[in-house]
Amino acid sequence: MIVARDLRLAYRQPGNTVTVLEGFDLTVPKGERCVLIGPSGCGKSSLLLLLAGLLKLSGGVRHASGGSEAGGRLHVGGQPLEGPRPQTSLILQDFGLFPWKTVEENIALGLRLKGVGEREAAERVRPVVERLGLAGTERRHPRQLSGGQRQRVAVGRALATEPDLLLMDEPFSSLDALTRESLQDLILEIARRDPLTIVLVTHSIEEAAFLGQRILILDGPPLRIIGQVDNSGAGASDYRRQKGFHAACDEIRRLMVKASERGSLR
Ligand SMILES: Nc1ncnc2c1ncn2[C@@H]1O[C@H](COP(=O)(O)OP(=O)(O)OP(=O)(O)O)[C@@H](O)[C@H]1O
């Protein structure tokens, strides 16, 4: 699903250049749930923006205060990635909901942006609302929802367009522990039902171990894969109570500690 080779990315500002990616390779097979975990500032979000097609591979995006330059080869879904693709959905930490739109309008947004008519969008939103446990909240605005419900709306919006690739950047980090677990359960249930490839960025070892079939331990910048945990047992709804889950948590923690010790010696 994702084949990235020799990715390069640098943010340039007057008198300061941050090299975030340098010769970075990544392969994510179709249908895999791949988790990226690593210290703050190592370049995880930047990688996700590239995978989403939001940072261009040649020329980069210009910012008022400077710019970025990116290069390398990136194929998503068998095609060279030249910009945002309709089959990719991105969920961010701050939900990205429009406060003036209702729950159903927020969920329908991706469909409407793709030119789907109002009536068809409403019909396609209905089962998503049901599936996410949001029935009854359709006419409410985000301020009238709890944090967990808001993030459900964000998940709903990402799924309404029936993506084949779901990219998530710390989607549940602002939620309390139990709400967070219930949303992790939801993502797992969705991934089991739909043919979805998932790339999730998280700071939570438990979230990584519960959701990821493969967990990449990262360091940087420039971003490097310094370890990998194969966690093929993940996917059962009671995995948090299984030995494999605890073993995966221990292994992720061990690799992260090793990386941070190595970093502090540099
Ligand atoms: N638009 C930008 N302009 C300049 N530097 C940037 C820009 N965006 C990110 N950076 C820098 O690039 C590096 C990587 O940032 P990035 O947000 O990708 O890291 P991250 O691993 O996602 O961090 P976090 O876990 O804190 O979200 C950091 O040093 C950051 O300060």
Side-chain angles (χ1 to χ4, degrees), residues 11-14 61-68:
Y11 292 112
R12 295 194 195 288
Q13 282 171 336
V61 176
R62 305 304 299 177
H63 297 285
S65 55
S68 67

Side-chain angles (χ1 to χ4, degrees), residues 149-167:
Q149 285 173 320
R150 269 182 239 158
Q151 196 54 315
R152 277 172 192 269
V153 177
V155 172
R157 182 160 76 194
L159 295 177
T161 54
E162 296 172 4
D164 59 11
L165 175 62
L166 184 58
L167 304 173

Side-chain angles (χ1 to χ4, degrees), residues 11-13 16 18 20 38-47 63 65 67-68 93 169-170 201 203 221 223:
Y11 292 112
R12 295 194 195 288
Q13 282 171 336
N16 181 30
V18 185
V20 179
S40 202
C42 71
K44 306 176 297 294
S45 303
S46 302
L47 174 65
H63 297 285
S65 55
S68 67
Q93 185 184 354
D169 194 357
E170 295 179 53
V201 167
H203 281 292
L223 194 69

Side-chain angles (χ1 to χ4, degrees), residues 227-240:
Q228 170 171 316
V229 177
D230 291 312
N231 188 33
S232 52
S237 44
D238 66 348
Y239 193 53
R240 289 186 195 91

Side-chain angles (χ1 to χ4, degrees), residues 12 25 43 50 57 61 75 77 80 104 123 149 158 169 174 201 211 229 240 247 260 263 265:
R12 295 194 195 288
D25 296 341
L50 267 176
L57 277 181
V61 176
H75 281 67
E104 59 187 356
E123 271 170 28
Q149 285 173 320
D169 194 357
S174 61
V201 167
L211 288 177
V229 177
R240 289 186 195 91
S260 87
L265 289 177

